[in-house]
Amino acid sequence: MSRVRLTAGAAALLVAGLVTSGGAADATTAAVDYSFDVAPGDYEVTVTLGSASQAALTGVQVEARRTVLAPVITRAGEFRREVFDVNVRSPESMPTGEEGPGTPGLQVHLTGSHPAALNVSVAPVRRPRLFVVSDSTASDWLKGPKRGWAQELPQLLQPGIVVANYADSGESTVSWLSNPRLFATVKPLVQPGDEVLIQLSHNDKTTTESTFRANLGKLVDGVRSRGGLPVLVTPPVRHLFGTNGKLTPTGLVVNTLGVDLPAVIRDVAGKQGTPLIDLTARSKALLEQLGESASWPLYLTAQHDGVQDSTHFSEYGGTVIAGLVTKGMTDAHLPAAAFLRMPAAAAPNCAARPALSNAAAAATVKVWLAGDSTMADPKSSCPVGWGSRFDALFNDQVTVVNKAVSGRSIQTWLYESNVTGAKNSAGECVVNPNTYAQRWLDMLDPTKGMHSGDYLLIQFGINDSDANCPRHVGTARYQSLLTTMVNAAKSRGAHPVLLTPVAAITCSGSTAVGNRGFLSPTTAAGAATGVPVIDLHKLSYTLYNTLKLCPNNGDYSKGAVGAFFCNDHTHFEAAGADQIARVVAKALRDQKIGLAGYLR
């Protein structure tokens, strides 16, 4: 087993493999271990899987055996590009150092019976975090056969959110609050908008109900004080069956004092108004459905692992329990659910794709974007349009061409400087001469513009409400111009998709409410032309309510609102743009729009 070690130096991007950057050293495709000398923090890891000469079966683990990709098959000459977000910390596995410090930096390990990769690259990123506050059932286990469910969770998430797993073996609600290496260390790391999954019970064996309740309250209040979203998680059950084929009270995590700890968690969640993932109920239903014998592979067994353990999971079991957690995330409508990968049963058959030839590359599907600043590529670190985050959500067969421009109404986007400051008798700004702007001409170009199979996403309606020319557009004119763009795209075989304008953050008390116009003409244009309409306006303010961005007293620079918006009520920070882009991607799936088949 060969090892590649790279030092960061001044390079922002570290690459190991056939393709290098930033002065990094070359490595061979035979390497299965890659070590990057980077500081603790969050990083984006990109791996190009496959071999030009032979078939391969390759998976990816990072750091303390955290699974980010289960092994996938690539045929000879086929390549698959995968991107993962990784949290690097020290110690590498559990925060109290039970398994030692681990290896400094970021470790990437290829798994599978015949692993192969062309290159592995690492770059620092800033992402929302999904913290895990828990015990051994969720821990990152660096050694031995045990696996925690949070150790297997990253493989079920797309890029855009980082799992920061601080679960530690042997801990209870008592020790999490008293040990300075636990909550006192994690709490300052929580940033506005981060989510914190709190799953503690297994080691509260002698904790009284009143103490257990109080401890949960302290953990919840601590997360909220940092602007984070606390989520209470009931514990996974133990593999302890009675003679009736049902789990025993100990299996259901009732402690030695007779306290039904999962029931207390449910009650606290209800009284605190905290989202709940009932992992106890979900795992109980699974085990009792499988039965005592068939459910043993979820746990450690003497036959397969050298130890019989009714509490801790095998790698398979950790992955199954992580799947139950993600179902709970979806049912609880957590923001993190927007980052879930498509279930395998529903995923398109694109696990392995051949390297694109020049001819095939020319036939790659393009997604053209037309809109305003909320969609546009950034010119600085802030604001960031959601369209700039869209390309990363698709596989390599898609290229996003973002033609959105800040400050434009649909008419000024189409005609630019030809829209005058005068209004005609219908109250519309006069266009003279009546010729299109170059950006629209580029999209209409028969050689380089929209082609059959491409998609055009159109989102205006914010600047169009300006009472003054040149940006002013009336509702009838707005619908007419949308129809013009739709028909032009359809005539070229492209697929138009209309979007209502993304909402600003406007609060009515503690509730985010709608605030944009041009909703009806967008819907009407879609109905008249037979093209889909994504109600991004409603989806966005629904997201704001999920994130609890109200009330905010009109201060857009602090707390969860400041992490999402770029110092005003309309424009996004990178984290906000990421989430809006994923809202659009989810709508593509939910509405069964063909473009969804290309999502990662």
Side-chain angles (χ1 to χ4, degrees):
M1 181 182 296
S2 59
R3 177 174 289 278
V4 177
R5 186 166 190 83
L6 302 178
T7 55
L13 174 67
L14 301 181
V15 183
L18 299 181
V19 182
T20 63
S21 176
D26 283 336
T28 69
T29 55
V32 294
D33 286 291
Y34 302 81
S35 182
F36 296 87
D37 188 9
V38 298
D42 295 337
Y43 295 88
E44 181 180 85
V45 176
T46 303
V47 181
T48 303
L49 305 176
S51 167
S53 60
Q54 60 187 355
L57 181 66
T58 315
V60 182
Q61 291 182 350
V62 296
E63 289 294 271
R65 299 191 299 181
R66 303 177 212 159
T67 305
V68 292
L69 181 70
V72 295
I73 297 171
T74 51
R75 297 188 296 272
E78 296 180 343
F79 299 95
R80 173 172 174 154
R81 178 179 175 269
E82 291 288 347
V83 180
F84 319 103
D85 290 332
V86 180
N87 175 251
V88 175
R89 60 185 182 274
S90 182
E92 183 180 350
S93 57
M94 287 179 270
T96 59
E98 175 177 325
E99 297 185 303
T103 305
L106 170 55
Q107 317 310 313
V108 179
H109 173 66
L110 303 185
T111 65
S113 58
H114 297 86
L118 282 184
N119 60 56
V120 180
S121 67
V122 172
V125 292
R126 178 187 175 192
R127 300 278 196 248
R129 285 177 171 176
L130 180 64
F131 286 90
V132 178
V133 168
S134 189
D135 52 38
S136 58
T137 61
S139 292
D140 287 348
W141 288 95
L142 182 60
K143 305 170 184 176
K146 296 177 184 176
R147 295 293 197 280
W149 62 257
Q151 190 173 14
E152 302 300 327
L153 182 61
Q155 65 186 301
L156 306 180
L157 296 169
Q158 303 178 72
I161 191 168
V162 181
V163 176
N165 185 13
Y166 282 83
D168 196 78
S169 177
E171 309 299 347
S172 64
T173 59
V174 176
S175 60
W176 254 93
L177 290 166
S178 63
N179 189 331
R181 300 190 70 176
L182 295 173
F183 197 56
T185 297
V186 173
K187 179 181 171 182
L189 301 176
V190 178
Q191 298 294 316
D194 288 345
E195 297 160 77
V196 183
L197 304 183
I198 302 169
Q199 181 233 289
L200 292 165
S201 293
H202 275 286
N203 299 301
D204 283 280
K205 298 175 183 177
T206 59
T207 307
T208 65
E209 180 176 339
S210 60
T211 299
F212 188 66
R213 284 180 179 274
N215 289 346
L216 290 175
K218 291 175 184 177
L219 292 167
V220 167
D221 290 343
V223 173
R224 284 176 171 165
S225 71
R226 296 290 301 168
L229 176 64
V231 181
L232 290 177
V233 184
T234 61
V237 297
R238 298 183 178 98
H239 191 276
L240 296 173
F241 280 80
T243 56
N244 61 354
K246 303 294 183 181
L247 293 172
T248 66
T250 304
L252 295 173
V253 202
V254 176
N255 76 7
T256 58
L257 301 180
V259 180
D260 187 337
L261 299 173
V264 175
I265 295 172
R266 296 181 192 111
D267 188 58
V268 171
K271 291 178 177 177
Q272 290 269 6
T274 303
L276 173 74
I277 296 176
D278 197 342
L279 186 55
T280 306
R282 292 175 185 274
S283 54
K284 173 182 182 291
L286 175 64
L287 262 68
E288 291 185 345
Q289 178 184 9
L290 291 172
E292 182 173 6
S293 177
S295 59
W296 259 121
L298 297 169
Y299 296 80
L300 303 181
T301 64
Q303 178 181 1
H304 293 96
D305 308 293
V307 60
Q308 198 82 358
D309 189 328
S310 61
T311 298
H312 297 102
F313 304 116
S314 63
E315 183 174 3
Y316 165 71
T319 303
V320 171
I321 298 299
L324 297 182
V325 173
T326 63
K327 291 178 181 177
M329 290 165 56
T330 300
D331 290 347
H333 305 290
L334 299 185
F339 297 94
L340 293 176
R341 291 186 182 272
M342 188 184 302
N349 186 18
C350 56
R353 295 185 300 274
L356 295 177
S357 65
N358 291 337
T364 297
V365 172
K366 289 185 177 179
V367 178
W368 302 82
L369 303 182
D372 52 38
S373 58
T374 61
M375 180 193 271
D377 287 338
K379 295 183 178 179
S380 62
S381 61
C382 187
V384 178
W386 66 260
S388 67
R389 324 299 286 189
F390 209 42
D391 187 79
L393 304 182
F394 292 93
N395 63 36
D396 293 343
Q397 291 176 290
V398 166
T399 300
V400 173
V401 183
N402 192 355
K403 293 285 189 177
V405 183
S406 175
R408 274 34 175 206
S409 65
I410 188 170
Q411 185 156 264
T412 53
W413 188 92
L414 280 169
Y415 297 101
E416 194 53 56
S417 58
N418 295 338
V419 184
T420 71
K423 292 184 179 180
N424 59 22
S425 59
E428 298 294 348
C429 305
V430 175
V431 180
N432 185 30
N434 192 19
T435 54
Y436 290 130
Q438 189 60 49
R439 65 179 71 95
W440 184 230
L441 293 175
D442 289 343
M443 292 169 73
L444 299 178
D445 186 278
T447 302
K448 299 180 180 180
M450 292 181 287
H451 285 87
S452 179
D454 287 354
Y455 285 81
L456 170 63
L457 274 59
I458 308 169
Q459 179 223 293
F460 292 99
I462 295 177
N463 301 304
D464 310 69
S465 59
D466 194 323
N468 301 312
C469 293
R471 298 202 303 185
H472 168 80
V473 181
T475 55
R477 175 68 170 162
Y478 185 86
Q479 182 175 336
S480 173
L481 293 176
L482 279 181
T483 301
T484 296
M485 295 181 73
V486 165
N487 289 337
K490 291 173 71 174
S491 71
R492 287 159 175 77
H495 307 290
V497 179
L498 302 181
L499 295 90
T500 57
V502 65
I505 179 64
T506 301
C507 300
S508 175
S510 60
T511 303
V513 295
N515 43 55
R516 298 296 189 197
F518 297 93
L519 308 180
S520 295
T522 305
T523 302
T529 57
V531 302
V533 177
I534 293 175
D535 192 354
L536 183 56
H537 180 250
K538 182 177 181 179
L539 292 172
S540 54
Y541 72 70
T542 299
L543 172 65
Y544 306 158
N545 281 318
T546 301
L547 296 175
K548 300 186 184 304
L549 300 187
C550 290
N552 54 54
N553 300 318
D555 186 347
Y556 311 112
S557 62
K558 299 177 182 177
V561 172
F564 196 99
F565 286 92
C566 182
N567 302 328
D568 63 34
H569 61 16
T570 294
H571 299 100
F572 308 120
E573 293 276 1
D578 274 334
Q579 295 207 51
I580 295 296
R582 293 182 184 280
V583 165
V584 176
K586 185 175 185 298
L588 292 173
R589 285 197 178 107
D590 291 346
Q591 296 179 220
K592 296 180 173 56
I593 297 170
L595 181 58
Y598 297 95
L599 289 167
R600 291 186 181 278

